Amino acid sequence: MAALFGRRLRRGAATTAVAALAVAALSASQAPAIVPGGGENGKQASGSSVPDESPDSASGDSSYHTDLPPLNTPDKPGTSIDLPDLEGAAEAGIPATVLSAYKQAEQRLGVTNPGCNLPWQLLAAIGKVESGQARGGRVDDNGTTFTPILGPVLNGVGFANISDTDNGAYDGDKTHDRAVGPMQFIPSTWATWGQDANGDGRKDPNNIFDAALAAGRYLCANDRDLSLKSNLDQAILSYNRSREYLATVLSWLEYYKRGSHEVPDGTGVLPEGPGPLNPGGPSNSPSPGPTTSPSPDESPTPNPPKPPKPPATKPPTTPPTKPPTTPPTTPPTPAPVVEHLEDAGTGKLSATAGTEFAGRVTVRGEDGKGKAVGKAAVRFTIVGDTDATFAGGSKNATGVSGATGVAKAPALRAGEKTGDFTVRADVVGRTVPAVDFTATVTERQADAVARTSDKEMTAAPGGEFADSIQVKVTNNGVIAPGVAVKATMIKSADDTSAADKGPYFKDAAGKPLRALTDLKTDAQGLLVLPKIFADDATGTFLLRIETAGGAKVTIELKVTAPEA
């Protein structure tokens, strides 16, 4: 069984010792090499490939776990469940909800910031070092930690001195800040980078979906391309300005890239070193290495002679060359996965433009035996030519299934574009047939329309009407903004077709136009019609104004020759 290095390294230990162990681990895992000697302030050492960083950091340079991955890393993705090193296999396991959050963040940033090239394994590496993957995946069905994860008080004693910036809203401390959540954001940084990735209307640093997306956006800042070594190092150091931190994160990044697997929530391996889970930490010294056999020039003390025994009970003459470092354990049972997604009672999806849909898309995830699968991340996507969005203004949202396997999308809000569009549900990280739902947006309605003035509308032949016509539109007595309106010069009260003489509007080319259709009320439910002109015909003419919903009003237009 492979030896484990750095099981109890502590931030603040001798730089040379920490760097030596980190470089040894990186060399064994074939991770990119770093140059030791940078120190705690993150300044560039002579010959280092890592440029200087700004004094700001996401975590406030708070504590972190310095446990390094096993040297016996997985050989290739997808095979780590069969690792012969049982402790290594356990370390490669990432709790299901936490893993879903990392992969979702990678996918979202792959769309919104494809030039960043963020791998989810980088988020997993930082999550491991910052909080032990949210305390081994101790999160609820929505991805929120059962209790807040708080770093040490940043009062300048051993860490940065950061006065309170959130009035204790996130960290419960109104004097100093503390790093918060599974990705350990200080409140002032969260105020800038916080995200609502699961569509619940909140930006919660203790929610792994929100925190993972926020961390991804933070790492991608300044147009970084994380496929470049220099940009990758810059991004990690911007999170915590420490060479030891950089070495540790790079070690886990390479470890996860070589293989990982999903384990049930709450069963992840907790770090042993100091950090938010155990801020006091063990001693500053590394844990002793494995026991080794004496060197050839050492003379072991002989044992006293023993009486002869029957051959069947004779002890082995050759002792084991190396005792096991850990007792045998049972490999983790793979978590159930969604094999089938189905509608779970969504119902009809219809809304008037600018309003919220009464129904919400709801699906149920099942495994291959038809049993419900909980804690599965389900992605909801709005597809089609529409300006409808989920609550918060996004076209994408993620929900996590509960114990019954049901996941519900956030509320849908209709835009101004009418017609049909699609809401698609699929499973994050799984190739499972998606489920599509049709949603319909109808025109805004109005049941009343009235002119706001009773002034008579008159004009001379060949002239123009001096006053404009304004109408107010309401629905159930409430102003109706954005309602479609038609204005038509009609032939008579009995014949509502467009007239061929009398008053008219003008089109863009200045030609007579006796019907307008592309009209809508403003935010106050008001509509002012364009200027109206008169031809040579005299008499009383009718203007019909009609709204979506059937409300109508008829206005008289009089064209008379001036008196002699």
Side-chain angles (χ1 to χ4, degrees), residues 531-555:
K531 185 176 288 294
I532 302 175
F533 302 88
D535 61 12
D536 294 336
T538 60
T540 299
F541 301 91
L542 300 180
L543 169 63
R544 172 70 58 85
I545 299 175
E546 185 175 0
T547 71
K552 302 173 185 177
V553 64
T554 302
I555 301 171

Side-chain angles (χ1 to χ4, degrees), residues 11 55 57 59-63 152-163 176-177 186 241:
R11 186 177 182 201
S57 64
S59 64
D61 297 338
S62 184
S63 64
V153 178
L154 300 177
N155 57 5
V157 181
F159 304 102
N161 187 352
I162 303 179
S163 298
H176 293 90
D177 273 346
I186 56 174
R241 301 166 302 156

Side-chain angles (χ1 to χ4, degrees), residues 191-219:
T192 301
W193 296 95
Q195 299 292 300
D196 176 17
N198 62 352
D200 64 356
R202 300 176 58 226
K203 297 179 180 179
D204 184 359
N206 282 298
N207 180 277
I208 186 59
F209 289 96
D210 294 358
L213 183 58
R217 290 188 64 242
Y218 182 89
L219 294 166

